[in-house]
Amino acid sequence: MKMNDNIAISQSGYVFNPQTGESFSLNPTAIEVIKLLQEGKSRDEIAVEMTSRYDISISSFLCDLDDFLHLLQQYDMMANE
């Protein structure tokens, strides 16, 4: 899994997709997930890392992560691999 290289993300969570002209604001957890995606981490690696940081089960986190990844794909923010 990888984010598109042209996606601009500020430290405060402002995301801009120059391909579509759309912009979004992310919460701190989403920013962490985006950074892990930019590092090239897999879905399962992200789940393990995030559930080690926060008090949430892997199954609950994976459900939320899948929803978030679907939104990223829907807004053309994920690279086609």
Side-chain angles (χ1 to χ4, degrees), residues 19-35:
Q19 183 176 337
T20 64
E22 296 178 304
S23 60
F24 311 92
S25 292
L26 301 175
N27 66 33
T29 305
I31 294 169
E32 288 183 67
V33 170
I34 294 281
K35 287 179 181 178

Side-chain angles (χ1 to χ4, degrees), residues 15-77:
V15 179
F16 177 68
N17 184 346
Q19 183 176 337
T20 64
E22 296 178 304
S23 60
F24 311 92
S25 292
L26 301 175
N27 66 33
T29 305
I31 294 169
E32 288 183 67
V33 170
I34 294 281
K35 287 179 181 178
L36 293 170
L37 286 168
Q38 289 177 320
E39 293 173 13
K41 302 275 185 185
S42 71
R43 172 186 175 268
D44 292 338
E45 290 171 323
I46 292 169
V48 168
E49 191 160 334
M50 294 297 287
T51 56
S52 71
R53 295 180 194 175
Y54 299 100
D55 185 25
I56 186 171
S57 70
I58 286 186
S59 60
S60 292
F61 181 78
L62 283 172
C63 182
D64 293 338
L65 179 60
D66 288 341
D67 288 344
F68 183 59
L69 294 173
H70 179 74
L71 284 173
L72 292 176
Q73 290 172 337
Q74 191 174 355
Y75 288 107
D76 295 323
M77 297 176 75

